[in-house]
Amino acid sequence: MSKRIIGRVDVVDFPQLGLYNIDVKIDTGAYTSAIHCSQIIEEYGTLRCIFNSAVHQNFGKTEIVFDTFTHTNVKSSNGYAENRYKVKSEVIFFGKTYKINLTLSTRDDMKFPVLIGRQFLKRKFLVDVDLENVSYLTCQHEYSYSF
């Protein structure tokens, strides 16, 4: 299987979450991928998540209920470990839909609402840090010539 080259940042869609044109940072230093979630409520065996942000573009007030979720320990770059909820979803790169595991975290104080980590990248992508928005620009170019 050949790997696609992506840049250090991109713009992608998370259709199952109702999130489109979302800025993501490709983070080869992170093992898991993380997405901004403003409110998480665990009740009756479900996880109710509100994806909302006044800071991050295209994060309107979207509420998703997950019937299936797990917990995982995530160690941040500053060395602190945090136990987070982890959910399964889908992400679109280069017009192709991929399954992705996402940990939920409040990221309003971060520049990017989503980090894409090594667990997702492996066997699919190579990262060229000189490039940006490769998937987004490729799809825009392809759609601009559609009739």
Side-chain angles (χ1 to χ4, degrees):
M1 180 169 125
S2 64
K3 297 179 184 180
R4 302 262 338 226
I5 295 175
I6 59 173
R8 60 189 175 90
V9 297
D10 220 315
V11 178
V12 300
D13 297 334
F14 295 90
Q16 291 181 327
L17 304 179
L19 299 171
Y20 299 92
N21 292 319
I22 302 299
D23 293 323
V24 299
K25 178 180 179 183
I26 309 304
D27 188 352
T28 59
Y31 179 70
T32 56
S33 298
I35 190 167
H36 170 74
C37 187
S38 56
Q39 190 174 5
I40 304 166
I41 302 164
E42 184 177 353
E43 58 185 4
Y44 311 113
T46 64
L47 195 66
R48 189 162 48 109
C49 303
I50 299 173
F51 297 94
N52 186 30
S53 177
V55 176
H56 297 302
Q57 186 176 344
N58 299 327
F59 263 76
K61 189 170 185 176
T62 304
E63 184 174 318
I64 304 291
V65 176
F66 295 93
D67 294 325
T68 306
F69 59 92
T70 59
H71 294 268
T72 189
N73 289 319
V74 177
K75 192 175 196 180
S76 64
S77 59
N78 61 16
Y80 292 105
E82 178 182 15
N83 192 274
R84 293 187 191 164
Y85 289 102
K86 183 166 67 171
V87 297
K88 295 178 185 291
S89 193
E90 293 180 344
V91 63
I92 299 175
F93 277 91
F94 296 100
K96 181 178 177 185
T97 303
Y98 296 91
K99 294 187 182 309
I100 187 169
N101 291 315
L102 297 164
T103 62
L104 306 176
S105 176
T106 303
R107 297 187 53 82
D108 266 338
D109 57 340
M110 304 294 186
K111 183 175 180 180
F112 291 90
V114 178
L115 291 182
I116 303 294
R118 293 188 316 269
Q119 183 183 40
F120 174 77
L121 297 169
K122 68 181 177 185
R123 293 191 286 278
K124 292 185 271 309
F125 300 101
L126 292 175
V127 181
D128 183 337
V129 297
D130 290 328
L131 302 176
E132 293 183 5
N133 302 328
V134 179
S135 170
Y136 178 75
L137 294 173
T138 299
C139 288
Q140 293 296 74
H141 178 72
E142 287 173 3
Y143 294 135
S144 67
Y145 292 104
S146 298
F147 294 100

